[in-house]
Amino acid sequence: PGSQIFQEKYQLYLKSLERHKYLNSFAYSSSTSMDAHYGINQFSDLPVDEFISTYLKSYPRRYQTYVKTIKSSTSEGS
Amino acid sequence: LPLRFDWRDKNVVMRVKNQMNCGACWAFSVVGAVESAYAIKGHQPLELSVQQVIDCSYMDGGCNGGSTVSALKWLNQTQTKLVHASEYAFKAKDGFCHYFPCTEFGVSIKGYEAYDFSYCEEEMMKNLINFGPLAVIVDAVSWQDYLGGVIQHHCSSGHPNHAVLVIGYDKTGDIPYWIVQNSWGTLWGAEGYVFIKMGENICGIADFVSFPLM
């Protein structure tokens, strides 16, 4: 406590609390208890951009084809 | 289709892994799908090497990112045999590709398929049941703070950035949801899992779906 890195991490932690408040507001307004909940975890002291650049690194390539499926009338009917 | 289906009930899903600071979610997702497909074929469940895919899948960027379909394409084209995880351990960083003699035990695939099920999650359910766990690419920006429950809001499609493994679904309750295994360790989410509402392509879960053929 008192060091610069502590202060930086603490500010990030406070920001994460704001995010949790916003994200959890959907659950509180929902009628079901199954809604997702958000809070403190191992990523709470990470800036969002660092979280994205470290952990979110998969992407479909443009040239790759994903066969598009169409909803059939049978499945709609059933 | 059954109201609930979970490949963990058949003991063909390996434990939740931790990619640590290595951005190789794509490799974890693909290796998870291969491990399950191998076990579904009646073999003893095995943990296969993620590091082998990170180091050797030349169309991808190792810990700097990659694509599930590129990895499956590489596995299929080269008929690479994935060795046991203990033979080629995860180091959370890129390394040189190790080659093994043909006689070394390993698991190869017979093909792979890739689908966009964005308007047809029911078809995705059928594929999950018929072929095994599915490697998918989702938008996981809002997952930074996730602790549990079913994600139903503020998780858009159209910005794919993270690969995970769909291992089941549950439609018995008020909110039907996909059961998804992540690779951020068991301390994250619901013991390493995340649940995503079905039917609305939440997080783009049905946009980029692929799986190996064993």
Side-chain angles (χ1 to χ4, degrees), chain B residues 153-176:
Chain B
H153 314 283
H154 49 71
C155 196
S156 59
S157 57
H159 303 282
N161 48 43
H162 182 51
V164 285
L165 191 65
V166 176
I167 58 114
Y169 65 85
D170 192 334
K171 295 180 89 171
T172 57
D174 293 341
I175 313 284

Side-chain angles (χ1 to χ4, degrees), chain B residues 130-183:
Chain B
N130 290 336
F131 296 101
L134 309 169
V136 300
I137 308 182
V138 296
D139 179 348
V141 171
S142 68
W143 294 15
Q144 181 171 0
D145 308 290
Y146 175 80
L147 295 181
V150 182
I151 296 181
Q152 302 172 54
H153 314 283
H154 49 71
C155 196
S156 59
S157 57
H159 303 282
N161 48 43
H162 182 51
V164 285
L165 191 65
V166 176
I167 58 114
Y169 65 85
D170 192 334
K171 295 180 89 171
T172 57
D174 293 341
I175 313 284
Y177 59 86
W178 293 108
I179 304 167
V180 179
Q181 188 189 63
N182 201 353
S183 50

Side-chain angles (χ1 to χ4, degrees), chain B residues 34 55-56 66 73 94 132 134 186 190 192-193 203:
Chain B
V34 173
D55 294 348
C56 304
K73 189 175 182 182
D94 296 336
L134 309 169
T186 49
Y193 285 83
C203 308

Side-chain angles (χ1 to χ4, degrees), chain B residues 10-210:
Chain B
K10 321 253 183 232
N11 291 319
V12 297
V13 178
M14 300 298 113
R15 69 186 171 92
V16 171
K17 311 218 177 43
N18 194 338
Q19 66 183 77
M20 299 160 81
N21 287 339
C22 167
C25 52
W26 55 277
F28 281 90
S29 161
V30 162
V31 170
V34 173
E35 286 169 339
S36 292
Y38 180 70
I40 289 166
K41 281 286 173 188
H43 302 284
Q44 182 74 21
L46 278 182
E47 277 199 6
L48 300 172
S49 175
V50 176
Q51 190 68 42
Q52 188 179 6
V53 179
I54 292 171
D55 294 348
C56 304
S57 181
Y58 65 93
M59 288 180 279
D60 296 297
C63 287
N64 281 317
S67 147
T68 47
V69 168
S70 293
L72 285 167
K73 189 175 182 182
W74 164 74
L75 275 172
N76 191 40
Q77 273 182 348
T78 60
Q79 280 301 294
T80 297
K81 291 199 279 184
L82 285 182
V83 298
H84 197 280
S86 60
E87 287 275 309
Y88 198 153
F90 179 59
K91 297 189 203 76
K93 61 181 182 186
D94 296 336
F96 291 110
C97 180
H98 294 218
Y99 292 93
F100 293 86
C102 301
T103 49
E104 185 82 25
F105 169 79
V107 176
S108 59
I109 64 171
K110 287 209 170 89
Y112 69 92
E113 291 190 9
Y115 288 101
D116 171 358
F117 289 122
S118 45
Y119 296 101
C120 205
E121 287 181 51
E122 192 147 317
E123 205 61 39
M124 186 167 152
M125 288 161 63
K126 283 182 202 164
N127 278 266
L128 174 79
I129 293 169
N130 290 336
F131 296 101
L134 309 169
V136 300
I137 308 182
V138 296
D139 179 348
V141 171
S142 68
W143 294 15
Q144 181 171 0
D145 308 290
Y146 175 80
L147 295 181
V150 182
I151 296 181
Q152 302 172 54
H153 314 283
H154 49 71
C155 196
S156 59
S157 57
H159 303 282
N161 48 43
H162 182 51
V164 285
L165 191 65
V166 176
I167 58 114
Y169 65 85
D170 192 334
K171 295 180 89 171
T172 57
D174 293 341
I175 313 284
Y177 59 86
W178 293 108
I179 304 167
V180 179
Q181 188 189 63
N182 201 353
S183 50
W184 293 343
T186 49
L187 293 178
W188 179 87
E191 295 178 343
Y193 285 83
V194 51
F195 310 116
I196 299 173
K197 187 181 183 186
M198 295 176 84
E200 294 172 23
N201 198 20
I202 302 283
C203 308
I205 192 159
D207 284 337
F208 304 100
V209 180
S210 56

